[in-house]
């Protein structure tokens, strides 16, 4: 489930999915974006957007699934 699919969920359902409310998610995303802007860009670009990367991380912390399962869900390598 990408961020585009879950951003329209009700606040309670969004929190059930990833453990934080949408407004907290947006604040976290702003911090990640500010750090991403200052990061030196090397290598090829990531497959997932910053929103999806943050959502994937929060889901991992919430559920403690294996990297294999996360990779299969998000279509990335473990």
């Amino acid at each position: 489930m990408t961020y585009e699919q879950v951003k329209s969920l009700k606040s309670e359902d969004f929190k059930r999915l990833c453990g934080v409310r949408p407004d907290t998610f947006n604040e976290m995303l702003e911090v990640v974006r500010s750090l991403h802007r200052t990061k030196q860009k090397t290598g090829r670009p990531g497959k997932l957007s910053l929103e999806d990367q943050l959502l994937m991380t929060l889901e991992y912390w919430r559920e403690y699934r294996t990297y294999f399962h996360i990779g299969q869900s998000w279509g990335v390598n473990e």
Side-chain angles (χ1 to χ4, degrees):
M1 241 183 179
T2 65
Y3 177 69
E4 290 299 317
Q5 295 170 320
V6 300
K7 71 179 181 181
S8 60
L9 291 175
K10 292 187 292 184
S11 181
E12 297 82 27
D13 293 336
F14 190 91
K15 184 174 181 184
R16 286 181 64 195
L17 178 68
C18 63
V20 297
R21 296 205 180 273
D23 54 341
T24 305
F25 181 89
N26 290 328
E27 290 176 20
M28 294 170 80
L29 186 59
E30 287 306 313
V31 171
V32 171
R33 278 192 182 132
S34 67
L35 293 172
H36 185 72
R37 281 186 219 116
T38 61
K39 187 172 98 172
Q40 182 182 1
K41 305 207 178 17
T42 60
R44 82 184 154 153
K47 186 175 181 180
L48 300 175
S49 67
L50 288 177
E51 292 90 349
D52 288 343
Q53 290 177 33
L54 178 58
L55 185 60
M56 181 176 66
T57 301
L58 291 173
E59 286 180 8
Y60 170 75
W61 287 341
R62 181 141 175 96
E63 301 169 9
Y64 291 111
R65 297 184 334 175
T66 64
Y67 289 134
F68 175 77
H69 289 107
I70 293 281
Q72 294 300 310
S73 295
W74 287 89
V76 295
N77 192 358
E78 62 181 300

